[in-house]
Amino acid sequence: MFLLVCGMLISNIIHSQHKVKGTINDTTGMPLPGVSVLVKGTSKGVSSDFDGNYSITVPKNSILVFSYLGYTTKEIEALEKKVVNAILKADVTSLDEIVVVGYGKQKKVNLTGSVATVTFKDEVNQPVTNSGQLLYGRFSGVQLTQSSGNPGADGSSIVIRGIGTFGSSTPLVVIDNIQYDNLNAFNNLAPSDIESVTVLKDASASAIYGARGANGVVLVTTKKGKENKFEISYNQYYGFQKSTVVPEFLGAVDYSTLINEKFRNQDGIGYTPRYNVDQLEAIRTGSLPDQFANTNWANEVFRIAPIQNHHLSFTGGNDKTTFRLSLGFLDQNAIVRSKFNSKRYNFSLNINSKLNDWLTLSSVTNTFWNKQVGPTGGQNAFSGDNGIIYSFQRAAPTIPTYYSNGEYGVVDGAYEGTNFSYQTNNPLRRGYIGNYESDRINISQRIGLSFKLSEELSFETSGSANVIVKNTSDFSPTQSQNDWAGNPVIISTLNSLVNSSSLNYRFLNENILRYSTTINEDHTVGALLGHSASSYRGDGFRASLNGFPTDNLEEFSAGGVVDPAVSGGASTESYQSFFGRVNYNYKGKYLAEFNLRRDGSGKFGPGGFRYGNFPSASAGWRISEEDFFSDIEFISNFKLRGSWGISGNDRIGNYIFEQSYNPGIDYVLGDDSTVVGVAITSLANSNIKWEETTQYDIGLDVSMFSNQLEITADYFNRKSNDILYKNFPVPATIGVTNLAAQNAASMVNEGLELGVNYRGRIGELKYAAGANFTKFLNNEVTGLGDGGEETIGSSTIIRIGEPFKAYYGYKAIGIFQDLNEIVNSPRQFGNTNTGPGDLKYADINKDGVVDADDRTVIGSPHASLLVNFNGSLEYKGIDFNFMFQGVSGVDRLLMGNGNLPINDNRSNVLSYWINRWTPENPGNSLPRVGGQNNAEVSSFYIQDVSYLRLKNIEIGYTLPKKITEKLNISKFRFFIGGQNLLTFTGLEHFDPERANGSQSNRGVPLYKTFTTGVNIKF
């Protein structure tokens, strides 16, 4: 009986199911492979094959769900059908995507300017310490460069479409409609609070910001509340950081050998070695560890440093009011062994309330508090001539890290010799001595009211404030350092305290009238008219005092009496602007936009130059909407666009138009009494006016295969005129040393951009890949004005026809191998001591002598190509993404940290100098140590720092809903990730991603980060 019952049950189950098959096509009849076919309400499913066919066994009266990336999901009742065919329509959601633009939003498909957007729909888990790092690799035409890896100083610079001015090239940053002149507020915004970042690259997109938009605009929108949904999110990661690369210097044996050789080459026969035979033996054997060690200072100083980040948000609301409140905490230690630590606390509150049918209130608050503690000097303890990093070179490896008595090593056993060795500022001690504290609080608040006057007309008024308070305390104690035997070497009985504080605030009021209407269903017209007024004030105060009776009290009231000093100052700025925009759209086919902004700036005189007019125009043609294009089904969007516009720039010093006087110009009367005086040392320029940048852009946007493939291409030409320049000859008879800047110089940037993105799906596997490229065709200075002279710095030049601040020096063409070659070559700097093993420089002007007139352009600090690649995968709760970022064709002059051939009497050198030129080992790659003219700025020290870097990689797993529901949470995801893990470059010893400058390698190296964390939603 039991078997009979079981058989009947099995028979019923079998007969209650039936097999369904069919074909899945798009609207053109093309089969769709990889379409997901699921039985609704179950996890049972299959995927269509290459020809779009599928087959599945389903229960009676089932509903089949057909889904495919790029197409709208479709549900069909199977009932008792044996054949169910499906036709999926293309999902044009990506074309309808709303993009934030200046003072508004537009559909992506209707954009006529060069605008790029990235949206962060979910948590931001990249272990970035500042939000600027989120932009790496995401946009063409946008170059980011991180100059330091130290907490609080690891922000990246942003340059959009190349350098366009001799002054600041930082773009305008707008966060929730609050404007900022620098990147500080953006860098310190909690990444998980960001909803989208839009970059306005061409003049038609940025001209609505007029004077503020000449360097491009970065628009940031933070996340808002959600209607009828309360949600708590907690995101956390913990990890560690380490240097991307550690420079390798010579060990003690090789160092002592080379420095003795340096004196032999420098002083000739009868030279005095620094280390005698016995000392060299002690160095080799390690028999006197207190006097002669073998210290690897880089390994001693660099360490693995922890980092942690926590972010908690509360989101909710109803149909009237929505809110989002978030709290963030970032704790980061330095990868340089020290007591330096940076903590950041974030608070954000976003409220939107519909008070009634015609009035809406919006309020956004973004606040951060950055607290840094460290050794005396703060950030300056790491970089510069006396910084920890430079001490790698200046500290001989023969000096021990610690003596056996536990004290820091400061000298080796040759410090009292005839050719004595030098004491060191022990890098480890430098990282812990003294106390530095800094607090920076930034409060940004915007309140707006929007009035709906009619269905077509609205008015918005807003007021915003950005207040920055900073306070620092820097105490340097008395010092007493001894050698290994307890003999004093360094004694400083004077301690010091420096306190400084500043208050900066900017107020902004904006009033905007918006109008939008559609005429005869075909013509859509929009208009915007606005007024903006802004004021800024900055106040600063600094006081210092020395000679406190104890190091235990670090306040002015502790009794310091030596050299009291105070200083302070204030600056103000004011702006007023009128702006307008008109948009036209005919059937989504012909698009046009016109902008005009009139800006007034208090940085210009009250004459006719205070105001500037900045127009722009752009147009677009969606060829894909034309009837003759209708047969090309695989292309959903094909748009040509072009733009022209003029932007202004006033990022110059204040009060250049007014005559200023230089204090401290004292004079002496006949009775030898000194009288304090002032004098004119620089003539004002009452005719100073706006710098102007004119930009042309031609672009193409293509979407194919139901928007799975998107291509964007642009050509841009950016010409800057009336650039402020001040290197003009001044006759001595005038009695001044220089003139104020003149509107004289000009430059051009020209380039190509290409972006390609593809997304697809194979069954339950979703994938995406993208790449973007920027090729700079031309970047050069085109004029310096009538009478303007070239500006020649220690290693750069501003010259017509060359890149801005191109590297300038001598062209190294080899190494002298013998005296005969020296005699038959142009005399090097008139120096009779040039010898075999010294660098040989080109006689550019062919006058028989190598001197300052033979300097030439030897490299460019600007990249010629930017490349970025990214990809992602999702499969059954597992997600994986990566991003590569790189630059090509960029040079750097490296002369600051072990690159020179022992140019002074103390410095160590990088390990490759073991292969220097010697009579026994002649070569043409490295000169001798201690030679002549080998430390001149030359092409020998120019290095190609092109690189490709795995900027970010992350893999995560999201628990299935059946598990999270039991835990009463809506999402639980854990992940591991990394940043800067791999770098492909020809540069050794230093990170290739650095700011320009011959001594940029003296800063804290960049770091690679490994993290693990969780994302939880309740």
Side-chain angles (χ1 to χ4, degrees):
M1 179 63 70
F2 174 75
L3 293 175
L4 179 62
V5 172
C6 290
M8 294 175 63
L9 290 174
I10 294 173
S11 177
N12 288 335
I13 293 174
I14 292 175
H15 285 88
S16 66
Q17 295 183 339
H18 66 286
K19 193 172 185 178
V20 177
K21 63 180 181 178
T23 303
I24 308 168
N25 299 315
D26 63 13
T27 54
T28 67
M30 294 293 292
L32 293 176
V35 176
S36 173
V37 184
L38 290 175
V39 178
K40 187 174 183 179
T42 73
S43 59
K44 184 176 183 179
V46 296
S47 296
S48 59
D49 61 19
F50 183 79
D51 296 318
N53 298 317
Y54 77 95
S55 176
I56 186 173
T57 300
V58 300
K60 189 176 181 180
N61 299 326
S62 295
I63 297 177
L64 296 179
V65 180
F66 300 85
S67 61
Y68 191 62
L69 186 66
Y71 292 79
T72 56
T73 299
K74 189 170 187 177
E75 296 184 1
I76 301 178
E77 292 183 344
L79 300 177
E80 296 183 358
K81 300 177 182 177
K82 294 183 178 181
V83 177
V84 176
N85 296 321
I87 298 176
L88 302 186
K89 296 181 179 179
D91 182 4
V92 295
T93 303
S94 63
L95 298 181
D96 291 332
E97 178 184 347
I98 301 299
V99 176
V100 176
V101 295
Y103 295 104
K105 298 179 179 179
Q106 290 186 19
K107 284 186 177 181
K108 179 181 178 181
V109 72
N110 292 335
L111 293 173
T112 53
S114 184
V115 177
T117 296
V118 59
T119 301
F120 301 95
K121 296 181 179 179
D122 295 316
E123 305 80 5
V124 177
N125 296 315
Q126 288 181 235
V128 295
T129 56
N130 59 81
S131 292
Q133 295 174 4
L134 290 175
L135 304 190
Y136 275 97
R138 299 185 184 274
F139 306 105
S140 61
V142 179
Q143 183 176 3
L144 289 91
T145 304
Q146 187 175 343
S147 60
S148 173
N150 203 53
D154 53 0
S156 299
S157 63
I158 301 176
V159 177
I160 299 175
R161 289 187 167 177
I163 303 293
T165 176
F166 290 5
S168 171
S169 59
T170 302
L172 172 68
V173 176
V174 183
I175 304 174
D176 292 326
N177 294 314
I178 305 176
Q179 299 179 13
Y180 303 88
D181 284 329
N182 56 51
L183 301 174
N184 190 264
F186 178 40
N187 281 332
N188 285 281
L189 193 65
S192 291
D193 284 335
I194 297 176
E195 181 177 81
S196 68
V197 178
T198 299
V199 177
L200 310 182
K201 295 188 284 187
D202 70 343
S204 70
S206 62
I208 193 68
Y209 290 102
R212 318 296 297 281
N215 295 322
V217 182
V218 177
L219 303 177
V220 182
T221 302
T222 59
K223 294 176 179 176
K224 300 176 176 61
K226 300 177 182 179
E227 291 184 15
N228 303 317
K229 184 178 182 180
F230 181 74
E231 187 174 79
I232 301 175
S233 297
Y234 173 65
N235 306 310
Q236 176 270 344
Y237 66 74
Y238 179 85
F240 60 89
Q241 312 157 95
K242 62 181 297 186
S243 175
T244 55
V245 62
V246 177
E248 182 181 347
F249 288 82
L250 293 180
V253 173
D254 292 326
Y255 168 78
S256 58
T257 300
L258 262 68
I259 204 161
N260 278 354
E261 183 180 311
K262 169 238 174 31
F263 290 115
R264 183 188 68 192
N265 291 336
Q266 175 182 294
D267 302 333
I269 299 174
Y271 78 100
T272 302
R274 169 160 297 169
Y275 301 101
N276 60 38
V277 175
D278 293 336
Q279 292 171 335
L280 289 174
E281 181 65 13
I283 293 172
R284 187 184 67 81
T285 62
S287 58
L288 299 173
D290 268 350
Q291 298 181 44
F292 300 105
N294 184 21
T295 303
N296 186 322
W297 287 107
N299 288 346
E300 292 290 340
V301 170
F302 287 126
R303 66 178 179 184
I304 295 176
I307 181 173
Q308 61 175 316
N309 181 76
H310 304 267
H311 188 270
L312 181 66
S313 66
F314 303 86
T315 302
N318 52 35
D319 58 349
K320 296 292 185 181
T321 300
T322 61
F323 72 91
R324 183 178 186 274
L325 183 150
S326 69
L327 303 169
F329 173 65
L330 173 68
D331 186 3
Q332 183 184 15
N333 285 340
I335 60 174
V336 174
R337 197 176 303 278
S338 66
K339 60 181 178 182
F340 199 92
N341 172 266
S342 177
K343 289 182 173 65
R344 187 182 71 208
Y345 305 87
N346 288 87
F347 172 82
S348 177
L349 178 61
N350 203 319
I351 299 175
N352 292 274
S353 182
K354 188 175 181 181
L355 302 180
N356 51 47
D357 292 339
W358 54 271
L359 179 60
T360 302
L361 169 70
S362 63
S363 173
V364 59
T365 306
N366 288 310
T367 301
F368 72 85
W369 171 24
N370 182 250
K371 185 174 184 62
Q372 298 179 12
V373 296
T376 182
Q379 296 287 354
N380 294 329
F382 300 93
S383 58
D385 289 348
N386 296 312
I388 295 174
I389 306 303
Y390 187 35
S391 295
F392 290 170
Q393 177 187 1
R394 296 170 63 83
T398 51
I399 300 173
T401 309
Y402 300 96
Y403 296 128
S404 57
N405 60 13
E407 294 187 14
Y408 289 103
V410 291
V411 292
D412 66 14
Y415 89 101
E416 291 183 323
T418 302
N419 188 357
F420 60 88
S421 61
Y422 289 79
Q423 64 193 32
T424 183
N425 185 7
N426 188 298
L428 291 184
R429 181 178 182 276
R430 181 68 183 90
Y432 291 94
I433 189 168
N435 288 306
Y436 173 88
E437 294 185 9
S438 171
D439 292 278
R440 181 187 179 97
I441 298 176
N442 188 311
I443 302 172
S444 297
Q445 173 68 54
R446 180 183 184 273
I447 296 177
L449 289 172
S450 179
F451 301 85
K452 184 178 180 181
L453 305 179
S454 69
E455 291 298 323
E456 300 173 334
L457 186 65
S458 66
F459 173 73
E460 179 183 337
T461 183
S462 66
S464 63
N466 178 224
V467 181
I468 305 171
V469 179
K470 186 175 182 180
N471 184 67
T472 64
S473 175
D474 190 357
F475 183 79
S476 179
T478 59
Q479 300 186 46
S480 177
Q481 299 179 64
N482 304 319
D483 65 11
W484 63 92
N487 301 312
V489 177
I490 301 174
I491 298 177
S492 175
T493 59
L494 199 64
N495 48 26
S496 64
L497 175 65
V498 178
N499 280 356
S500 62
S501 62
S502 63
L503 172 64
N504 302 276
Y505 53 87
R506 183 183 295 276
F507 299 115
L508 173 67
N509 169 245
E510 292 183 316
N511 301 281
I512 300 173
L513 190 66
R514 304 177 192 271
Y515 177 79
S516 179
T517 188
T518 299
I519 303 172
N520 295 331
E521 298 183 355
D522 294 334
H523 306 271
T524 301
V525 179
L528 177 151
L529 186 63
H531 170 263
S532 173
S534 171
S535 65
Y536 165 85
R537 181 179 175 90
D539 286 273
F541 178 82
R542 182 181 187 275
S544 63
L545 189 60
N546 304 327
F548 294 89
T550 176
D551 289 335
N552 297 323
L553 297 176
E554 302 179 9
E555 300 294 340
F556 283 135
S557 59
V561 295
V562 179
D563 296 332
V566 296
S567 62
S571 63
T572 61
E573 297 175 8
S574 59
Y575 300 92
Q576 179 173 240
S577 305
F578 304 89
F579 52 92
R581 176 169 60 208
V582 176
N583 298 89
Y584 174 73
N585 179 338
Y586 175 69
K587 289 187 175 181
K589 183 186 303 184
Y590 307 120
L591 313 165
E593 179 175 304
F594 305 92
N595 293 279
L596 177 63
R597 180 156 176 148
R598 179 171 172 80
D599 275 322
S601 171
K603 291 187 176 183
F604 304 105
F609 301 110
R610 176 156 286 180
Y611 280 87
N613 299 315
F614 307 106
S616 75
S618 59
W621 178 24
R622 290 191 66 201
I623 303 176
S624 54
E625 297 301 299
E626 298 286 1
D627 292 338
F628 63 78
F629 210 89
S630 59
D631 292 335
I632 307 177
E633 296 287 348
F634 68 93
I635 298 180
S636 52
N637 181 49
F638 191 100
K639 178 175 65 177
L640 286 175
R641 49 183 168 77
S643 68
W644 164 89
I646 299 175
S647 301
N649 182 33
D650 73 335
R651 296 189 182 185
I652 60 176
N654 291 336
Y655 316 120
I656 294 178
F657 65 90
E658 287 188 327
Q659 186 59 60
S660 59
Y661 298 86
N662 187 12
I665 310 296
D666 302 339
Y667 59 94
V668 181
L669 297 178
D671 58 356
D672 291 334
S673 60
T674 301
V675 179
V676 176
V678 297
I680 297 176
T681 58
S682 177
L683 291 181
N685 178 8
S686 60
N687 294 320
I688 191 172
K689 60 182 181 180
W690 297 87
E691 295 183 359
E692 289 190 347
T693 297
T694 303
Q695 188 169 172
Y696 304 87
D697 188 284
I698 299 174
L700 172 68
D701 298 328
V702 181
S703 297
M704 306 170 65
F705 310 119
S706 300
N707 304 325
Q708 288 181 269
L709 176 64
E710 294 185 340
I711 301 173
T712 300
D714 282 87
Y715 162 79
F716 65 88
N717 187 298
R718 179 183 179 189
K719 297 179 180 179
S720 300
N721 298 296
D722 293 328
I723 297 175
L724 289 174
Y725 192 63
K726 60 190 305 181
N727 193 9
F728 295 88
V730 181
T733 54
I734 295 181
V736 298
T737 56
N738 61 77
L739 303 175
Q742 314 292 307
N743 293 101
S746 58
M747 65 189 306
V748 63
N749 275 289
E750 184 182 16
L752 298 172
E753 298 174 356
L754 175 65
V756 180
N757 290 283
Y758 183 83
R759 53 181 183 157
R761 181 170 182 169
I762 303 175
E764 295 185 58
L765 174 66
K766 298 179 182 179
Y767 61 92
N772 62 72
F773 308 87
T774 305
K775 175 63 177 177
F776 293 99
L777 304 175
N778 188 19
N779 165 240
E780 66 178 71
V781 176
T782 55
L784 296 176
D786 294 337
E789 298 181 343
E790 296 176 345
T791 297
I792 300 176
S794 60
S795 60
T796 63
I797 188 170
I798 301 178
R799 170 179 283 179
I800 295 175
E802 299 290 352
F804 177 63
K805 286 192 174 181
Y807 291 122
Y808 189 66
Y810 299 96
K811 183 178 180 180
I813 55 175
I815 295 174
F816 288 115
Q817 299 299 320
D818 53 47
L819 291 174
N820 186 56
E821 185 180 359
I822 296 172
V823 171
N824 294 312
S825 298
R827 177 168 290 188
Q828 309 285 300
F829 308 97
N831 193 328
T832 59
N833 294 322
T834 301
D838 288 334
L839 286 172
K840 180 180 180 180
Y841 302 104
D843 179 15
I844 300 296
N845 62 3
K846 305 300 182 182
D847 64 354
V849 177
V850 173
D851 55 20
D853 295 332
D854 294 298
R855 287 177 295 172
T856 186
V857 172
I858 55 177
S860 172
H862 310 298
S864 61
L865 178 66
L866 310 179
V867 294
N868 304 293
F869 306 94
N870 63 80
S872 65
L873 299 170
E874 292 184 34
Y875 181 75
K876 292 185 176 181
I878 300 173
D879 60 271
F880 170 75
N881 66 78
F882 67 89
M883 180 181 296
F884 282 92
Q885 174 261 339
V887 301
S888 179
V890 59
D891 299 318
R892 191 175 328 138
L893 178 67
L894 295 178
M895 300 182 66
N897 204 9
N899 310 93
L900 298 176
I902 312 185
N903 193 51
D904 57 26
N905 291 337
R906 67 184 303 167
S907 297
N908 197 357
V909 291
L910 292 166
S911 59
Y912 60 78
W913 281 103
I914 195 68
N915 296 315
R916 80 284 181 200
W917 188 97
T918 66
E920 300 77 27
N921 181 38
N924 209 36
S925 59
L926 293 171
R928 61 176 178 162
V929 295
Q932 298 292 316
N933 311 313
N934 294 329
E936 299 292 337
V937 175
S938 74
S939 58
F940 177 78
Y941 297 105
I942 292 290
Q943 298 200 43
D944 184 344
V945 292
S946 302
Y947 69 89
L948 180 65
R949 165 167 282 166
L950 179 58
K951 199 65 185 178
N952 189 70
I953 187 170
E954 181 182 328
I955 184 168
Y957 178 70
T958 302
L959 293 180
K961 287 187 177 181
K962 61 182 179 180
I963 296 178
T964 56
E965 288 175 353
K966 294 179 181 179
L967 300 174
N968 292 321
I969 58 178
S970 58
K971 180 179 181 180
F972 187 95
R973 174 181 179 269
F974 58 88
F975 63 90
I976 57 174
Q979 185 182 31
N980 297 337
L981 297 188
L982 294 174
T983 303
F984 305 95
T985 180
L987 180 67
E988 297 180 346
H989 301 289
F990 301 105
D991 195 293
E993 183 188 340
R994 281 289 191 178
N996 300 328
S998 62
Q999 297 177 352
S1000 61
N1001 48 346
R1002 292 187 185 179
V1004 177
L1006 305 191
Y1007 44 78
K1008 59 180 67 176
T1009 308
F1010 305 84
T1011 56
T1012 180
V1014 297
N1015 307 129
I1016 305 175
K1017 287 186 179 180
F1018 299 92

